[in-house]
Amino acid sequence: MEAVARASIAASSHARVPLCRRPRPRQCHAARCLQGRRSVACAAAADADVVRLFDAAKLTVIRETLADSSARRLRLNAEALTSCYAALIQVDEFVKSGMVVGLGSGAASGLAVQYLGTRLRRGSLTGIVGIPSSVICASEAEKAGIKVGNHEEGAQIDFAFADADVIEEGTLAAVIGRGKTESGQPSFIQQKGIVKSADKVAFIIDNDKYVNGIEGSIPVLVKSGNWIDTAEEIDDLFLGDAEVWRRPSIGTAGPSGGDFPLVTKEGHHILDVIFTTPIQDLGKVAEGLEKIVGVVEHGIICNTTPYAVIASKGEVQVLDRKSSVIPNT
């Protein structure tokens, strides 16, 4: 079997994929690392033991599934490893042969791309076409052996996955695009277009970034000609709740973007709307931004029917909107 996990998705309940006690070396398959819906075998053990077991299983999967140099270049700390393990699970759960798949950007999505290539080389998946969300993503997909298509060609996308910076509990609305890419160009613009075109979407997230009341930045793409007027309108819209800074290409951020503000290849700027009080409704924030003249796009993804693949200590959960609250444990 090629599956890293077979979490069954029920429309009315969330799926948990707990790890078994003894992940075997040289095996990266779900049935060998995970045991369906059963409780974690070492759930009664100390937290440190659960974390150690979880990390051992993840490292086994990553080392054996991803042997090529591009995968080894991924710099994965403990937090990134958790979400990357979830990325492998969502490939097994949602991707079927013959699909057109939107390929997200970020550490977890990068690992999912490599794993997708592994499954294609082994023949357990066939006929996959990947639609990359960035130039770097396209390069990694080609190295992994995935046939790459172009979103601008109007290809129908069956499924898309993406790293999310944060997800709103209950609605599963997501924020993407907070971080800079290696190329300096924001990836959320193309990524959002791919997600909106997909029949089914899964966001990959760590448990601590699945919250009720989101704080931090929302990236907003604006026309450069009148960006100051646009920034002032956004500031008025969220007066007292957020600050508006223009994103720099290098150096320290600030209201004006410093001496080297980021300019996209289309000639637009990125404004980071930094919320200092919790956002109660991401959908309303998106609606307000879209009414402002000069706003081209923003990093909020809502009005979709996504799944959230959430990695937490000792387990991975797959949630939909009907089951989008993680019980306290």
Side-chain angles (χ1 to χ4, degrees):
M1 295 186 302
E2 290 291 338
V4 173
R6 293 292 183 192
S8 58
I9 308 298
S12 61
S13 64
H14 66 268
R16 292 190 175 194
V17 186
L19 295 174
C20 70
R21 180 179 291 275
R22 298 175 60 191
R24 301 177 185 176
R26 301 180 62 79
Q27 297 176 346
C28 61
H29 308 309
R32 299 170 185 171
C33 294
L34 307 172
Q35 294 183 337
R37 295 172 178 266
R38 290 175 54 191
S39 298
V40 179
C42 58
D47 284 351
D49 292 332
V50 176
V51 173
R52 177 180 53 78
L53 174 64
F54 193 35
D55 287 343
K58 288 181 293 185
L59 287 170
T60 298
V61 173
I62 291 167
R63 285 170 178 164
E64 296 186 11
T65 305
L66 309 175
D68 60 76
S69 59
S70 59
R72 289 198 298 271
R73 286 200 305 272
L74 289 171
R75 300 179 62 183
L76 303 174
N77 56 25
E79 180 178 326
L81 278 172
T82 307
S83 60
C84 286
Y85 195 79
L88 306 189
I89 289 173
Q90 57 90 31
V91 169
D92 284 322
E93 184 57 45
F94 295 105
V95 179
K96 311 299 178 186
S97 291
M99 278 188 169
V100 177
V101 180
L103 309 176
S105 299
S109 292
L111 187 57
V113 167
Q114 298 296 335
Y115 178 55
L116 186 56
T118 298
R119 291 202 57 187
L120 286 168
R121 290 193 297 273
R122 293 181 178 179
S124 59
L125 284 175
T126 59
I128 298 294
V129 176
I131 308 297
S133 59
S134 68
V135 173
I136 293 173
C137 177
S139 175
E140 294 301 321
E142 289 175 348
K143 291 176 185 176
I146 300 170
K147 181 180 178 181
V148 173
N150 192 329
H151 182 231
E152 294 177 356
E153 295 172 358
Q156 176 61 43
I157 299 175
D158 299 299
F159 169 69
F161 57 81
D163 285 42
D165 293 310
V166 65
I167 293 178
E168 184 176 64
E169 185 178 306
T171 67
L172 299 189
V175 176
I176 62 174
R178 285 182 173 179
K180 293 181 181 179
T181 64
E182 291 181 22
S183 65
Q185 292 293 324
S187 63
F188 76 88
I189 303 163
Q190 187 169 347
Q191 184 160 274
K192 185 173 179 180
I194 289 171
V195 166
K196 290 170 70 174
S197 300
D199 291 338
K200 188 178 293 185
V201 177
F203 294 119
I204 311 163
I205 198 88
D206 294 322
N207 184 49
D208 62 353
K209 296 178 182 176
Y210 178 73
V211 298
N212 182 18
I214 290 170
E215 296 183 56
S217 65
I218 305 294
V220 182
L221 182 71
V222 300
K223 295 178 180 178
S224 59
N226 60 344
W227 76 269
I228 294 178
D229 293 339
T230 305
E232 288 178 350
E233 244 189 285
I234 294 172
D235 189 53
D236 290 341
L237 179 64
F238 304 115
L239 190 63
D241 295 323
E243 298 179 358
V244 181
W245 289 13
R246 185 167 60 156
R247 185 177 295 186
S249 57
I250 58 174
T252 305
S256 65
D259 295 330
F260 304 98
L262 176 63
V263 181
T264 71
K265 60 184 179 181
E266 297 83 10
H268 302 320
H269 292 308
I270 300 291
L271 301 181
D272 286 307
V273 184
I274 306 167
F275 283 82
T276 55
T277 59
I279 299 171
Q280 299 304 316
D281 189 332
L282 268 180
K284 288 184 178 179
V285 171
E287 185 179 346
L289 289 170
E290 288 162 8
K291 292 178 180 178
I292 294 177
V293 175
V295 170
V296 178
E297 189 54 276
H298 54 74
I300 299 173
I301 301 177
C302 52
N303 300 322
T304 61
T305 54
Y307 292 93
V309 183
I310 302 176
S312 57
K313 186 166 53 183
E315 68 180 5
V316 172
Q317 299 183 76
V318 183
L319 309 182
D320 60 17
R321 275 185 179 167
K322 294 181 180 180
S323 58
S324 57
V325 177
I326 299 178
N328 293 325
T329 55

